């Protein structure tokens, strides 16, 4: 008897809040549609994105024959830019500016232009690799930070450099950044990677302004299983991106103070019934 194995491809979708764009992730590509009047979506995409891979040779976790299948996509604000952020089964993570996607669609030479060709004109401003299959994604608008979980049971924080971090806390009542903080510049494309307690203690000893004047990549360890969801507080109550929560498939919810502790500050274990437990400090101050 012959058994036919079929790989199931899951669709992931997202919507822009600024442009009339609908995103569908299918296999290793993202199909971008412009709904017509009445919000009807046609069968032909306006643009097809083939994400840029930081490690194109990275193997897949679920489907080795399709290593760059997209596990998750999300749309959100990063500073003044609305971005499309994606994670793949190979551990690659990439981000695109929605405004650039919209510009490429609007400036195509003809309606029948190959949507893949249109997609090739979209620059990828962020492309990184988190070692294994990446899943959960979160974006912090005011602090310009991205969180990514992977099957390494580690959460990776990417904190983009700011021109003047003291200005990031100047948030108006409407929730928008002050004029000086609206367009923070990235000084370079290198990341300072913090992976150990010793490195973290050194980082914590820096002033906030010095810390946020460069790109910081911070690896958070505390889970013992895969992490399907992460979330920043992401509001004017937390303009510096201090707080993060995460959940794993063993029913644990962890709370982090990203810039203060290398380990979680609290956790809830919904399987064992342990509620509101505080992690012991794993380093001497």
């Amino acid at each position: 008897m012959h058994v036919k194995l079929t790989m199931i491809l899951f669709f992931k979708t997202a919507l822009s809040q600024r442009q009339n764009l609908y995103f569908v992730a299918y296999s290793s590509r993202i199909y971008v549609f412009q709904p017509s009047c009445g919000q009807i979506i046609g069968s032909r995409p306006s643009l097809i994105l083939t994400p840029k891979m930081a490690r194109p040779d990275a193997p897949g976790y679920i489907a080795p024959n399709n290593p760059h299948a997209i596990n998750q996509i999300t749309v959100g604000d990063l500073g003044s830019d609305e971005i499309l952020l994606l994670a793949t089964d190979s551990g690659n993570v990439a981000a695109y500016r929605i405004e650039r996607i919209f510009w490429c669609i609007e400036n195509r030479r003809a309606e029948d232009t190959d949507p893949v060709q249109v997609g090739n004109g979209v620059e990828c401003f962020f492309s990184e690799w988190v070692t294994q299959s990446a899943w959960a994604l979160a974006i912090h608008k005011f602090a310009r930070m991205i969180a990514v979980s992977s099957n390494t049971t580690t959460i990776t924080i990417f904190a983009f450099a700011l021109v003047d971090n003291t200005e990031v806390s100047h948030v108006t009542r409407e929730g928008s950044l002050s004029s000086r903080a609206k367009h923070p510049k990235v000084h370079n494309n290198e990341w300072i990677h913090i992976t150990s307690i010793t490195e973290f203690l050194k980082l914590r000893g820096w002033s906030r302004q010095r810390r946020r004047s460069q790109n910081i990549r911070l690896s958070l360890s505390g889970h013992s299983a895969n992490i399907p969801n992460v979330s920043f507080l992401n509001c004017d109550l937390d303009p510096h991106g201090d707080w993060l929560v995460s959940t794993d498939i063993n029913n644990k919810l962890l709370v982090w103070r990203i810039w203060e502790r290398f380990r979680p500050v609290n956790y809830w274990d919904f399987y064992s019934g342990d509620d509101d437990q505080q992690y012991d400090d794993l380093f001497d101050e």
Side-chain angles (χ1 to χ4, degrees):
M1 181 177 65
H2 298 283
V3 178
K4 183 179 179 180
L5 298 178
T6 303
M7 183 179 69
I8 300 176
L9 298 175
F10 295 96
F11 292 92
K12 300 292 183 180
T13 66
L15 287 165
S16 169
Q17 300 302 305
R18 302 190 191 182
Q19 305 295 345
N20 188 33
L21 297 177
Y22 176 57
F23 303 92
V24 178
Y26 174 71
S27 186
S28 57
R29 286 178 166 179
I30 293 179
Y31 295 74
V32 185
F33 297 87
Q34 281 187 305
S36 61
C37 296
Q39 295 302 95
I40 297 173
I41 298 172
S43 60
R44 178 180 171 82
S46 301
L47 181 150
I48 297 177
L49 274 178
T50 303
K52 178 183 177 182
M53 300 291 113
R55 286 289 299 270
D57 59 335
Y61 184 84
I62 298 174
N65 61 331
N66 188 26
H68 304 312
I70 298 169
N71 290 334
Q72 188 63 271
I73 62 173
T74 188
V75 170
D77 288 341
L78 184 71
S80 61
D81 293 320
E82 186 181 38
I83 70 167
L84 170 69
L85 180 65
L86 63 97
T88 73
D89 189 42
S90 59
N92 282 280
V93 185
Y96 295 84
R97 292 181 175 87
I98 300 296
E99 194 63 34
R100 181 61 187 178
I101 294 174
F102 179 74
W103 186 92
C104 287
I105 292 174
E106 291 296 298
N107 288 273
R108 57 191 167 177
R109 286 174 293 181
E111 288 293 327
D112 59 351
T113 303
D114 180 6
V116 174
Q117 181 182 339
V118 179
N120 291 339
V122 183
E123 298 90 352
C124 177
F125 77 90
F126 173 78
S127 181
E128 291 293 328
W129 183 58
V130 292
T131 309
Q132 284 189 19
S133 188
W135 287 91
L137 298 171
I139 304 169
H140 197 295
K141 173 182 179 177
F142 305 108
R144 279 176 48 93
M145 293 163 59
I146 288 172
V148 184
S149 75
S150 76
N151 282 359
T152 61
T153 70
T154 297
I155 300 169
T156 303
I157 304 294
F158 295 94
F160 291 84
L162 306 176
V163 167
D164 183 357
N165 182 67
T166 60
E167 297 298 323
V168 78
S169 62
H170 294 180
V171 182
T172 67
R173 291 182 180 179
E174 290 77 19
S176 61
L177 293 177
S178 66
S179 59
R180 289 186 61 187
K182 278 187 177 180
H183 300 285
K185 296 178 182 177
V186 176
H187 293 305
N188 55 63
N189 293 320
E190 299 298 323
W191 296 90
I192 297 177
H193 196 176
I194 308 298
T195 60
S196 69
I197 292 175
T198 302
E199 293 170 340
F200 181 82
L201 287 174
K202 182 179 179 180
L203 176 70
R204 199 177 69 166
W206 293 356
S207 67
R208 191 183 293 273
Q209 184 173 356
R210 179 187 176 189
R211 182 194 307 154
R212 295 309 311 274
S213 67
Q214 49 211 311
N215 292 331
I216 301 293
R217 174 173 173 160
L218 179 61
S219 296
L220 302 177
S221 298
H223 285 284
S224 58
N226 292 346
I227 307 162
N229 285 292
V230 295
S231 181
F232 290 111
L233 182 54
N234 193 27
C235 69
D236 55 358
L237 297 176
D238 182 28
H240 300 296
D242 289 325
W243 293 97
L244 182 82
V245 294
S246 56
T247 59
D248 64 33
I249 59 175
N250 284 343
N251 296 314
K252 285 188 178 180
L253 184 150
L254 274 56
V255 180
W256 311 78
R257 289 203 68 176
I258 297 170
W259 302 111
E260 293 297 322
R261 287 279 301 272
F262 190 66
R263 301 293 184 185
V265 292
N266 290 88
Y267 79 92
W268 286 261
D269 189 334
F270 296 102
Y271 182 79
S272 67
D274 292 338
D275 294 334
D276 197 12
Q277 301 296 313
Q278 187 168 357
Y279 269 72
D280 293 329
D281 256 326
L282 299 182
F283 54 85
D284 296 324
E285 301 190 34

